[in-house]
Amino acid sequence: MKTLITSLTNEKVKYWRKLHKKKGRKENKVFLVEGLHLIEEAWNSKQVIIEIIAEETVELPRWSGNIPVERVSKQVFEHISQTMTPQGIAAVVQIQPQREMKGNQFVLLDAIQDPGNLGTIIRTADAAGMDAVILGKGTVDIFNDKVVRATQGSLFHIPIYEADLVHKVDELQKGGFDIWATALEKADYYHEVEVPDKVAIILGNEGAGVHPDLIELADKRIKIPIYGKAESLNVSIAAGILMYHIKQ
């Protein structure tokens, strides 16, 4: 039986702490997942779980028999945890290589910086049956712990890619896609635009919106009507409205 890890200066503990940073995740090609629900989502989605980290009193899931387990003290787990109320169980999960992108309905995200917004958009894209989410430059890291939690496991269900959106828009247009960009000026209301067979929606930064260069490249500029006095919609809410619209 492995020795219980109780020291905050243990090399394994230092390694797990490195995974809090994008650099550490990128170098090691793994990320941390906390909580039984998300770990089980990873397992059910055939993700590669490198190891499970659990407090000594936490019961392990029945399916975890062949996965290496590191038992740690409560103090150590709290040291590596990034949640306010840790559940005492986490896992190191392998980052999957990007595969060829397939499908007819995509969401392109331009510099979405709030982890909660990104996670919610991914979760909604999964629920709406979108084929992929594409993250442009300036977008928060998909493996940021707050993003992972906000997806509620959907990051394991829907393909997620990173790309230069200018190049990706050109590539998609050559493949017969209509590109819709959300904009305030010279834009049509989304429900008045015919939905084509192949469509990709660009949503932009919470404060600045979609970059003007991407708006210029788009085939259609669309907007959502505001019936009340709010100045604008949260980007994740706007994403949900538009994704479900193109699925009708």
Side-chain angles (χ1 to χ4, degrees), residues 146-163:
K146 291 179 182 177
V147 177
V148 173
R149 289 201 303 273
T151 70
Q152 284 293 298
S154 286
L155 84 162
F156 303 127
H157 307 157
I158 184 171
I160 302 166
Y161 302 89
E162 292 182 340

Side-chain angles (χ1 to χ4, degrees), residues 20 25 82 115 140-149:
H20 291 184
R25 295 190 289 266
Q82 294 177 276
V140 62
D141 182 26
I142 176 61
F143 301 113
N144 172 293
D145 73 293
K146 291 179 182 177
V147 177
V148 173
R149 289 201 303 273

Side-chain angles (χ1 to χ4, degrees), residues 54-121:
E55 285 184 31
E56 55 185 322
T57 57
V58 170
E59 185 177 347
L60 298 174
R62 281 179 291 180
W63 49 259
S64 67
N66 294 323
I67 299 173
V69 176
E70 292 286 0
R71 288 287 188 175
V72 302
S73 66
K74 181 179 175 64
Q75 182 189 25
V76 166
F77 196 89
E78 289 177 347
H79 186 62
I80 65 168
S81 173
Q82 294 177 276
T83 63
M84 292 293 290
T85 53
Q87 294 181 26
I89 187 167
V92 178
V93 179
Q94 184 176 300
I95 295 174
Q96 299 295 319
Q98 293 194 353
R99 298 165 292 172
E100 182 185 355
M101 198 163 68
K102 297 179 180 178
N104 295 327
Q105 296 173 328
F106 302 138
V107 182
L108 280 60
L109 301 179
D110 176 31
I112 301 297
Q113 296 177 335
D114 182 86
N117 283 338
L118 178 58
T120 300
I121 291 170

Side-chain angles (χ1 to χ4, degrees), residues 125-137:
D126 177 23
M130 301 298 286
D131 293 308
V133 177
I134 304 163
L135 313 181
K137 292 176 183 177

Side-chain angles (χ1 to χ4, degrees), residues 152-181:
Q152 284 293 298
S154 286
L155 84 162
F156 303 127
H157 307 157
I158 184 171
I160 302 166
Y161 302 89
E162 292 182 340
D164 180 317
L165 294 189
V166 171
H167 293 156
K168 183 55 67 176
V169 164
D170 181 59
E171 179 186 310
L172 290 171
Q173 286 171 325
K174 288 176 178 174
F177 278 78
D178 266 26
I179 307 298
W180 290 7

